[in-house]
Amino acid sequence: MTPSPSPGSVPPAAPDDPDAAAAHADPLDSANTANTVDTVDTVDTVDSLVLHATDNGVSWLTLNRPDAMNAVTWDQRERLIGRLADASADPDIRAVVLTATGKGFCAGADLRGAPPAGERVAGDVARMIRGGAQRLITAVLDCEKPVIAAVNGTAAGLGAHLALACDLVLAAESARFIEVFVRRGLVPDGGGAYLLPRLIGPQRAKELLFFGDALSAAEAERLGLVNRVVPDGELAKTAREWAERLAAGPTRALALTKQLVNASLDADRSTAFAAEATAQEINMTTADAQEGVASFVARRRPTFRGR
């Protein structure tokens, strides 16, 4: 995933140091660190760092770089974007779960294995953010299947925004959310200043973004950033239960509902009402909508097939 532009390269962090792990490396300086940082350059390696499994219509995407608190490389970011696009296009995938191994959900972005860049010129940083962090967040927001974040540990910087972009957020009791950008003297990127005010209002968002204090899972739930906090040992079980419920639902209706809710935050009433009417018009052509109406008339439980 694309990081915020930091002043220079950062050495790998120890697994028990989330603040250091959340520090961003500058992809535009990646050539200077090429001799000290292993790059991810084979399909097999990327597959081992972004685990993927499909079960009961659910696509499970698991960040697997626990020694770096799952700070995400350029290649991992591209793989996640690709997997989310695949989920949208595959009618047999009806929900997505995004989670991670180890103590951290995602400590931000680590692009020291990104393709080497030349001399920096004005506009490079903005271009890098648009093509990286913002593309990743957009891939989550625009995924046509509901996406659940199962936050198993620290979610910092872009890692926090990755979780908050998901449609539903489950958090283990040990999880923490940290807006680390201000600690580095940086502006939040990866959609942070867009997502947070829409979730908790502008003043609460400013408090988190201005101070950069670690937020416990319980406090995140209280503020409305998290749907539910569960004991650490029950996170995977709860995520599976929620995902399988979504996977058994009317998939196209859920996709249209997601689009309506996301768009409504930036729309006036007439635009939102027009979009709602159009979405229902489209939805009524689906087999699941017809099944829903037929089951209501027959007084039985519907069987949705995602079509």
Side-chain angles (χ1 to χ4, degrees):
M1 300 172 195
T2 300
S4 296
S6 81
S9 61
V10 180
D16 59 351
D17 187 355
D19 292 344
H24 297 294
D26 190 342
L28 303 176
D29 283 344
S30 60
N32 296 331
T33 61
N35 293 328
T36 58
V37 179
D38 293 334
T39 59
V40 179
D41 57 9
T42 69
V43 173
D44 288 343
T45 302
V46 178
D47 284 343
S48 71
L49 298 179
V50 181
L51 305 179
H52 177 241
T54 302
D55 185 30
N56 289 334
V58 180
S59 176
W60 289 79
L61 302 178
T62 304
L63 298 175
N64 186 37
R65 201 172 171 232
D67 56 338
M69 296 287 286
N70 291 304
V72 182
T73 66
W74 184 91
D75 299 85
Q76 287 176 294
R77 182 198 75 208
E78 293 304 308
R79 180 54 58 90
L80 283 172
I81 291 172
R83 291 294 189 192
L84 289 164
D86 291 343
S88 288
D90 187 347
D92 292 327
I93 299 298
R94 299 171 66 185
V96 178
V97 175
L98 180 58
T99 190
T101 60
K103 297 180 180 179
F105 173 74
C106 179
D110 181 352
L111 285 195
R112 290 166 295 180
E119 180 182 356
R120 180 184 300 184
V121 298
D124 281 352
V125 170
R127 191 178 306 107
M128 175 267 292
I129 291 171
R130 287 195 300 269
Q134 291 177 354
R135 277 181 59 238
L136 175 63
I137 298 304
T138 297
V140 177
L141 292 170
D142 289 350
C143 182
E144 295 180 26
K145 309 300 165 64
V147 183
I148 297 174
V151 183
N152 55 296
T154 298
L158 181 57
H161 303 163
L162 179 61
L164 299 179
C166 294
D167 302 300
L168 300 171
V169 183
L170 294 170
E173 289 178 339
S174 62
R176 294 192 301 163
F177 298 82
I178 313 174
E179 289 293 334
V180 298
F181 297 93
V182 69
R183 300 185 185 185
R184 316 288 177 236
L186 300 173
V187 170
D189 64 35
Y194 175 85
L195 293 167
L196 281 167
R198 285 163 171 77
L199 291 168
I200 59 176
Q203 284 162 319
R204 289 289 194 184
K206 289 172 188 174
E207 180 181 346
L208 298 181
L209 295 169
F210 287 1
F211 293 117
D213 293 335
L215 199 65
S216 69
E219 184 67 5
E221 183 183 32
R222 187 186 72 80
L223 290 177
L225 293 173
V226 168
N227 292 90
R228 186 174 300 177
V229 177
V230 298
D232 288 24
E234 296 181 15
L235 180 65
K237 174 177 176 290
T238 305
R240 181 174 297 279
E241 290 172 351
W242 281 33
E244 290 183 351
R245 284 186 65 188
L246 292 170
T251 307
R252 297 314 304 164
L254 292 178
L256 290 165
T257 301
K258 173 175 178 173
Q259 291 173 13
L260 287 173
V261 172
N262 287 351
S264 74
L265 299 172
D266 299 309
D268 57 41
R269 185 183 66 186
S270 351
T271 302
F273 276 24
E276 176 187 278
T278 300
Q280 193 69 289
E281 175 76 23
I282 294 169
N283 185 64
M284 288 303 295
T285 67
T286 67
D288 279 349
Q290 295 168 28
E291 163 65 7
V293 173
S295 66
F296 174 76
V297 172
R299 297 185 179 183
R300 59 174 174 79
R301 292 178 63 88
T303 301
F304 296 121
R305 302 188 183 282
R307 303 307 201 263

